[in-house]
């Protein structure tokens, strides 16, 4: 059986990610890329999609996480949209369709197909394309990305996730061992054997020490995708940027920005001075090299000169990414420190005096100028700007260009 056939067979037998449509009654799974507030902020300078319909392609949409999230957020915001969910696995499409139906979301068209075939499918062009966790499984990722760009509308952008090489230490040696030890058998037989191998690994094995990797603990589909996938490659930042370059794309931002700031990983003043002459691409790459803690890269990108991340200005409207923040976050800001914790690696950054007062005024409707005018602290303008810069770096706050109600808070699964 060819590798392409084995990949197709995997997702027919084990739709990924494993989802129960009945859970839609309990929560909306949100994450990156393709959170609506991130799309506005990182691709359309805070406002392109606010006042006109948007066409969206979810390329390799699997069981529907990105499709359901974005369809629900667009519906909540009252935005006209048409979404195409492209997925070759019929069981995965069935699960996605069930999830959408349970939410009453009717803006999505589910289509059978592969990314490489996009130029011949006659689907038209799209303002936004999601490609999460797919390119790194293709025989030719560059060709796959070119196919995506061929259906990208002028001024459109993409949200991409690929595996991060430095954050997946220990995995590829284990994959190679499993390919030798359990090359054949039914999915159930191979999964059972792989579990026994993992359980028998010595405590010092890099895979055991890498707490960033946990998909094998979530489901059979997660284990197979992580440990037994027939085609899996990963990228460091420089390799990912080269892939984008080859498709005529430029990155507008990585998520979370703080984790791609080398100063967050090397806070000594002397080291910071050594970083002052680095360009943005070098800073992103050095941050990954210093941290070795990025098992995946989420990047937003578009054609050079056509898209841009939002910048803080008087008319910008900051909004919380996931609804009203918990009181403990405001208290942390008042204490002068902000911690960003992904469950494995925590980063902390100082906050200016008065940051809590700024945060309390972020409601998705007030402009930066209005917040500054309402503050009674000294240097209100600089305090507001510095606070927003650090909240944006933590991916807690994003910018829009018009007053827009915040999306209601939802359970968040990354």
């Amino acid at each position: 059986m060819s590798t392409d056939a084995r990949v197709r067979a995997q997702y027919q037998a084990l739709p990924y990610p494993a989802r129960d449509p009945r859970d839609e009654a309990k929560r909306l799974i949100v994450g990156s890329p393709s959170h609506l507030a991130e799309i506005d902020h990182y691709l359309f300078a805070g406002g392109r999609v606010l006042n006109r319909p948007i066409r969206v392609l979810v390329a390799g949409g699997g069981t529907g996480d990105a499709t359901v999230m974005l369809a629900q957020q667009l519906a909540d915001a009252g935005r006209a949209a048409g979404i195409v969910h492209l997925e070759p696995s019929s069981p995965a499409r069935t699960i996605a369709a069930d999830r959408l139906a349970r939410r009453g979301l009717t803006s999505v068209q589910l289509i059978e197909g592969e990314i490489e075939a996009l130029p011949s499918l006659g689907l038209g062009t799209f303002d936004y394309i999601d490609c999460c966790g797919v390119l790194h499984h293709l025989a030719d990722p560059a060709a796959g990305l070119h196919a995506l760009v061929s259906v990208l509308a002028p001024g459109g952008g993409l949200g991409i996730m690929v595996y991060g090489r430095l954050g997946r230490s220990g995995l590829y040696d284990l994959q190679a061992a499993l390919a030798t030890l359990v090359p054949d058998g039914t999915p159930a037989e191979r999964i059972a054997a792989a579990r026994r191998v993992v359980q028998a690994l010595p405590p010092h094995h890099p895979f055991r020490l890498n707490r960033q990797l946990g998909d094998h603990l979530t489901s059979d589909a997660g284990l197979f995708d992580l440990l037994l996938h027939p085609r899996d490659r990963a990228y460091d930042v420089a390799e990912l940027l080269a892939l984008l370059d080859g498709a005529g794309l430029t990155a507008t931002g990585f998520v979370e920005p703080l984790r791609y700031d080398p100063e967050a990983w090397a806070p000594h003043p002397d080291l910071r001075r050594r970083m002052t002459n680095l360009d943005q691409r070098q800073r992103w790459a050095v941050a990954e090299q210093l941290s070795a803690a990025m098992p995946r890269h989420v990047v937003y990108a578009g054609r050079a000169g056509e898209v841009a991340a939002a910048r803080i200005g008087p008319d910008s409207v900051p909004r919380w990414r996931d609804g009203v923040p918990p009181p403990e976050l405001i208290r942390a800001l008042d204490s002068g420190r902000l911690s960003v914790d992904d469950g494995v690696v925590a980063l902390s950054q100082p906050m200016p005096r008065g940051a809590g007062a700024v945060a309390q005024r972020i409601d998705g409707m007030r402009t930066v100028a209005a917040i500054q005018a309402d503050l009674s602290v000294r240097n209100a303008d600089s305090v507001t700007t510095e606070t927003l810069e650090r909240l944006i770096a933590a991916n807690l706050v994003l910018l829009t260009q018009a007053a827009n109600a915040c999306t209601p808070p939802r359970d968040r699964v990354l």
Side-chain angles (χ1 to χ4, degrees):
M1 185 184 296
S2 70
T3 301
D4 284 343
R6 292 172 64 201
V7 172
R8 287 192 290 270
Q10 172 186 333
Y11 292 121
Q12 285 292 113
L14 297 163
Y16 183 84
R19 296 290 183 241
D20 184 343
R22 292 172 296 184
D23 290 341
E24 298 305 314
K26 306 174 186 176
R27 64 175 182 181
L28 175 68
I29 296 175
V30 302
S32 303
S34 300
H35 190 293
L36 182 57
E38 290 180 4
I39 295 171
D40 286 349
H41 177 98
Y42 286 105
L43 292 176
F44 303 130
R48 181 191 180 282
V49 298
L50 290 181
N51 55 9
R52 67 184 191 219
I54 181 172
R55 290 203 77 220
V56 173
L57 170 67
V58 182
T63 54
D65 280 4
T67 302
V68 173
M69 171 182 69
L70 196 46
Q72 185 66 66
Q73 290 179 340
L74 285 162
D76 289 344
R79 300 194 197 179
I83 302 174
V84 171
H85 176 100
L86 183 70
E87 169 58 42
S89 165
S90 55
R93 291 197 312 278
T94 297
I95 293 170
D98 194 354
R99 295 174 68 184
L100 291 162
R102 288 171 185 268
R103 290 181 171 273
L105 297 170
T106 60
S107 62
V108 179
Q109 181 182 11
L110 293 103
I111 293 179
E112 178 181 357
E114 298 181 341
I115 287 174
E116 297 93 332
L118 271 169
S120 63
L121 292 179
L123 298 177
T125 60
F126 299 89
D127 304 300
Y128 175 70
I129 298 174
D130 169 285
C131 188
C132 180
V134 180
L135 290 176
H136 48 232
H137 292 317
L138 300 183
D140 187 342
L145 186 55
H146 276 279
L148 293 173
V149 173
S150 75
V151 295
L152 182 66
L158 302 93
I160 295 169
M161 187 279 278
V162 296
Y163 294 146
R165 180 169 58 81
L166 301 186
R168 286 164 74 83
S169 60
L171 173 62
Y172 292 106
D173 290 333
L174 180 56
Q175 281 187 0
L178 289 170
T180 300
L181 294 171
V182 287
D184 301 308
T186 67
E189 290 169 345
R190 297 185 69 201
I191 288 166
R195 290 194 192 281
R196 290 192 291 270
V197 170
V198 171
Q199 291 167 358
L201 289 176
H204 62 267
H205 192 284
F207 181 80
R208 275 200 181 277
L209 297 174
N210 189 344
R211 294 190 298 126
Q212 301 272 5
L213 304 174
D215 217 12
H216 59 299
L217 304 174
T218 63
S219 64
D220 286 352
L223 182 146
F224 205 104
D225 202 70
L226 181 69
L227 299 178
L228 298 170
H229 201 291
R231 184 188 289 128
D232 173 347
R233 69 153 296 174
Y235 294 80
D236 62 27
V237 165
E239 292 166 339
L240 175 53
L241 292 174
L243 181 68
L244 297 178
D245 290 342
L249 300 172
T250 184
T252 59
F254 282 80
V255 176
E256 303 155 350
L258 180 62
R259 297 185 186 277
Y260 289 86
D261 180 354
E263 296 184 22
W265 302 101
H268 190 279
D270 177 63
L271 296 176
R272 288 182 174 178
R273 284 192 295 271
R274 295 174 184 271
M275 298 172 190
T276 56
N277 293 325
L278 300 179
D279 63 29
Q280 182 60 77
R281 293 167 68 105
Q282 291 173 316
R283 291 180 66 85
W284 285 331
V286 169
E288 180 190 26
Q289 292 160 352
L290 291 175
S291 72
M294 300 170 189
R296 65 190 65 83
H297 296 301
V298 172
V299 64
Y300 288 95
R303 297 184 186 94
E306 292 190 5
V307 294
R311 298 288 181 261
I312 298 170
D315 296 328
S316 303
V317 178
R319 55 178 170 173
W320 295 102
R321 178 186 183 274
D322 290 311
V324 179
E328 55 266 27
L329 174 58
I330 303 298
R331 289 195 293 270
L333 297 177
D334 282 332
S335 72
R337 301 292 301 184
L338 174 63
S339 179
V340 179
D341 189 345
D342 65 2
V344 178
V345 179
L347 290 173
S348 180
Q349 58 179 339
M351 299 298 294
R353 186 184 300 272
V358 174
Q360 289 174 334
R361 287 163 173 78
I362 296 173
D363 58 8
M365 293 178 287
R366 299 189 206 196
T367 64
V368 170
I371 292 173
Q372 292 170 337
D374 196 42
L375 290 179
S376 58
V377 301
R378 294 182 57 188
N379 303 316
D381 290 6
S382 62
V383 168
T384 301
T385 299
E386 185 177 350
T387 298
L388 291 176
E389 286 175 345
R390 297 184 180 184
L391 291 173
I392 290 169
N395 207 37
L396 294 170
V397 166
L398 297 163
L399 300 175
T400 184
Q401 289 182 353
N404 194 48
C406 295
T407 301
R410 308 275 188 174
D411 288 342
R412 181 182 183 195
V413 176
L414 295 178

